[in-house]
Amino acid sequence: MRYDARVMNHRRTYIFIAGGVMSGVGKGIASASLGAILKSRGLKVTAVKIDPYINVDAGTMNPVEHGEVFVTKDGDETDQDIGNYERFLDEDIVKINYMTTGRVYLSVIERERALGYGGKTVEVVPHVPQEVIQRIKDAAKFHDADVTLIEIGGTVGEYQNVLFLEAARMMRLDTPDDVLVGLVSYLPIPGALGEMKTKPTQYAVRTLNSTGLQPDFIICRGSQPLDLPRKQKLATHCNVRQEDIISAPDLLTVYAAPEAFEKEGIGELVMKKLRLKAKHEPKMSAWQALSKKAQDGGEPVRIAIIGKYAESGDFSLSDAYLSVVEAVKHAAWKLNRKPEIVWVSARQIEKTPKQLAKLLKGVDGVIVPGGFGKRGVEGKMLAIQYAREKGIPFLGICYGAQLAVVEFARHVLGLEDANSTEINSKTKEPVIHLMNEQVERMQDKSYGGTMRLGEYPCLLAKGSRVRALYGTDQVMERHRHRFECNPDYRARLEADGLLHSGLSPDGSLAEMVELKEHPYFIGTQAHPEFLSRPFRPHPLFLGLIKAASKS
Ligand code: GLN
């Protein structure tokens, strides 16, 4: 892909967002909300995410540890924040919008090896930050953005993100009128004191100062709103005007954030500082309506997600399925339902299979999301069998769809040994097997960025449920997999009722399967959750919630 394909010479502005005090305070949501607010004024906005780790992409990282791996249209495997940007900005984000330390260094080293620096000594500074700047500018150009938000992962003071802050400093030095720096910080209220403390934020600002950057505004996250005395204190100690300090207390839903930030005046503040002209008055009514829906709810609809969950000390993390959860919410709100997610551990089902009915009691729909490897698959298949036999609406996503095929082959076709070769490479009935293109890659241990990734077309069969749901005969969906339905079993599976209702255009690859005699039983090789947007829920999730609302 060429990022300089369009000739554009209008003014571009940049807002760097760094984090202070601690991670996980919602820097991504704050940046995405700021983007939504600017977009609501008619500006063209894009967002860049920088992850400071060495991994070249997020694809090889364990999602249970790191959170979901999001997949872009052009097949990049990224951090889940890119998903937040797509959802909040309602814009497609592409590969150039995502960088890691590994990715940046890899390009610098490859360029050096190709004599791209013309024999010069290549140094960490300035060459690495220059590469970062080039990528940011390429992203802005690619999207023809008036404003590019750049979220620097991690927290100021970490060794890992110094070079990215250095890029911000260099850009600001070059074009001071077009670059802003915002700090998202956290203000704790220690239980024993019951008082909101500003000192950690003061230190964070000082640390940022030591990189040569002064924040233009500070977003103060906390469980409570920031009051006036603390605003004054921060203004004095952090060298920031009081009106440039934004209070950002916890909200009941992230979708309330754009409206809350707009009310706090961050939109006007940024517009003024960057001397941007709005194309029209801020149009926030859709966000207001969404935030109201998200908080009011309606009749509950209970959707079980059968997954693998990590325990980190005393905490159980479910971020690995973030986009799936968001997609359920979008669809439920559209249908005036209150989404309730029931987290069911596939391992727990395996440990106590007799308790399955109890674990799924009162559940209106079941989702088996994407996954990899052996752990938990038998539990997932027990849940699929239960949903199939009891007529509970079911959506299988990627691995979930593959396992639905295995389960059907075992219990309906009577192929007891049916399996995916991912689980048992020696199975006599490989109903799911490695795609041809993957065989060599796996032999070479070439794992990074080598799955079937990104958007691919799928043709939907006449008379199928999926065609009715999508309302069209061809769709594009995002993918991330190495295995596929073995076409040798297609005829037998179809004869017994598991229709292959979505196929790749050449007919070779099964993209969607569905059961005819069932209220809702659909498996998709793709990841529809990546395409669900708050104002445009995905048809397969809408179908699931609709069916689940009837039961
Ligand atoms: N492990 C399966 C594959 O590689 C499914 C992947 C997924 O669910 N994303 O095909």
Side-chain angles (χ1 to χ4, degrees), residues 313-329:
D314 290 341
F315 303 94
S316 172
L317 314 168
S318 55
D319 256 10
Y321 306 113
L322 184 75
S323 292
V324 176
V325 174
E326 297 311 306
V328 167
K329 290 183 190 166

Side-chain angles (χ1 to χ4, degrees), residues 305-309 343-350 359:
I305 298 183
I306 319 293
K308 290 199 282 191
Y309 302 101
W343 300 105
V344 180
S345 153
R347 297 279 284 169
Q348 187 57 45
I349 300 177
E350 284 174 357
L359 286 170

Side-chain angles (χ1 to χ4, degrees), residues 370-372 398-399 402 422 480-483 527:
F372 294 84
C398 204
Y399 211 21
Q402 295 173 358
E422 177 172 358
R480 180 168 187 256
H481 63 121
R482 293 190 204 281
F483 295 80
H527 286 273

